[in-house]
Amino acid sequence: MNGVILILAHGSDTGAAMLAAALRGLIGQREGGNVSARSTSGAATAGKRAGLTLSDTPDVWLLRPEVLCTARWSHTVDEFGKTTSRLALPGKPALDEGQIKAVLNRLHDLPAPQFAKANPKDRDYAASEFHALIISWLAACEKRNHKVTNSVRLNPCLHPTLPIMHWKAMAARYCIPLAKFSLAHPLTTDGAWDASVLIAGKHTSGLLAEQYGTVCRAICKELGFELLEFRFQRQWHQFVLVDVSHLPTLNGHTDTAAVAQCLYENAFRQADQTTSEGVAR
């Protein structure tokens, strides 16, 4: 197995399923490092510069938390004190830490149905241990320079946090119209939104991408996020920003394609850098 791109998502996450299909299609379109499809040209260029062939392309695994909790885990410590992990899932080949090329984390909790009938004390203990294991594993993946989108590094939560006041303050600084709010009631809209700007690495999509794409990318950079969806609601004569999420819905083809390209390029980032350095020398 040449490697794996992991998408961690819940069973109800239809956007993740669409993304996995788009990413497999993106990989499958390449023949000898060349892709004819115009929508995948950015990702194809990354692979081509890295000198990749069709046999080098990774698999795409869409993993649900219910499947993760059935995995068998093993940890090895070498003579230098370096720890590596291996993950064995039912029906799949064992996955070494070094085979992971990129990860997209769309999880917001970790259900563990196998502990459902345990007494509450044991169930809570097992759930906390499983939670710690997944966070440690994701952090280790990033430490090995495998790109983890929605990183948990230095974060005790399963997903990154983005306080409302942080993105509102940043949006105000960049002159993006905001929905009216107060400190007592920061969210004053009904949660509905009519348009968006999606930032996925160097890729931008969404109805308002032309108008707000540049400033949204700058906000992403300052907030330390690679993937964010800026959600706007139409109020009278203009769109106002009502929400920012690290979990884009991925309902549209262009949004899905942008995230697929981002993941593909992340998977081959190290190979691309190594090749570029060799050419420079």
Side-chain angles (χ1 to χ4, degrees):
M1 185 170 57
N2 297 308
V4 171
I5 298 174
L6 294 177
I7 301 173
L8 310 179
H10 296 275
S12 58
D13 191 343
T14 56
M18 292 174 59
L19 174 61
L23 190 50
R24 292 186 186 107
L26 175 64
I27 293 171
Q29 287 174 6
R30 289 200 312 110
E31 293 181 1
N34 295 316
V35 180
S36 59
R38 182 171 55 187
S39 64
T40 61
S41 59
T45 300
K48 189 174 180 181
R49 289 200 310 268
L52 301 169
T53 64
L54 190 61
S55 62
D56 296 321
T57 56
D59 294 330
V60 179
W61 289 8
L62 175 58
L63 297 183
R64 308 302 189 189
E66 295 83 0
V67 174
L68 275 176
C69 71
T70 65
R72 288 182 290 110
W73 301 79
S74 61
H75 306 278
T76 304
V77 181
D78 64 17
E79 63 271 26
F80 302 105
K82 183 178 180 181
T83 304
T84 56
S85 300
R86 169 174 282 201
L87 171 66
L89 294 162
K92 290 185 178 293
L95 181 63
D96 289 327
E97 207 172 87
Q99 293 175 298
I100 299 173
K101 302 300 183 183
V103 182
L104 173 61
N105 174 25
R106 287 175 65 86
L107 299 177
H108 50 77
D109 60 35
L110 288 170
Q114 73 271 38
F115 303 125
K117 295 183 179 180
N119 67 66
K121 184 177 180 180
D122 290 341
R123 184 176 62 244
D124 292 345
Y125 175 78
S128 64
E129 288 294 303
F130 181 48
H131 186 276
L133 172 63
I134 297 301
I135 289 179
S136 175
W137 173 60
L138 288 173
C141 286
E142 185 153 14
K143 189 175 181 180
R144 288 178 63 93
N145 294 321
H146 307 312
K147 185 65 178 182
V148 178
T149 303
N150 291 338
S151 169
V152 298
R153 190 161 53 92
L154 303 180
N155 189 343
C157 299
L158 186 63
H159 54 82
T161 57
L162 180 56
I164 292 172
M165 298 307 296
H166 284 194
W167 63 257
K168 282 184 176 287
M170 199 69 68
R173 187 200 305 176
Y174 281 90
C175 300
I176 295 179
L178 287 164
K180 292 182 179 180
F181 71 101
S182 66
L183 291 176
H185 303 285
L187 289 178
T188 59
T189 67
D190 57 8
W193 47 283
D194 311 303
S196 66
V197 176
L198 176 71
I199 304 297
K202 66 181 183 181
H203 304 282
T204 308
S205 67
L207 183 64
L208 300 179
E210 184 175 349
Q211 184 175 358
Y212 292 117
T214 300
V215 294
C216 286
R217 185 183 305 284
I219 291 173
C220 277
K221 185 175 181 180
E222 290 202 41
L223 291 174
F225 283 78
E226 179 183 44
L227 176 64
L228 284 179
E229 184 174 58
F230 295 76
R231 298 167 178 173
F232 294 80
Q233 185 181 93
R234 189 172 187 86
Q235 293 185 1
W236 298 99
H237 64 286
Q238 68 175 352
F239 285 101
V240 294
L241 185 64
V242 296
D243 190 22
V244 178
S245 175
H246 67 281
L247 296 174
T249 53
L250 301 178
N251 288 331
H253 170 74
T254 55
D255 286 356
T256 303
V259 178
Q261 290 178 25
C262 177
L263 285 176
Y264 187 98
E265 291 161 5
N266 284 346
F268 296 115
R269 182 184 75 256
Q270 286 180 288
D272 188 29
Q273 290 173 346
T274 301
T275 302
S276 298
E277 290 170 359
V279 171
R281 286 195 295 267

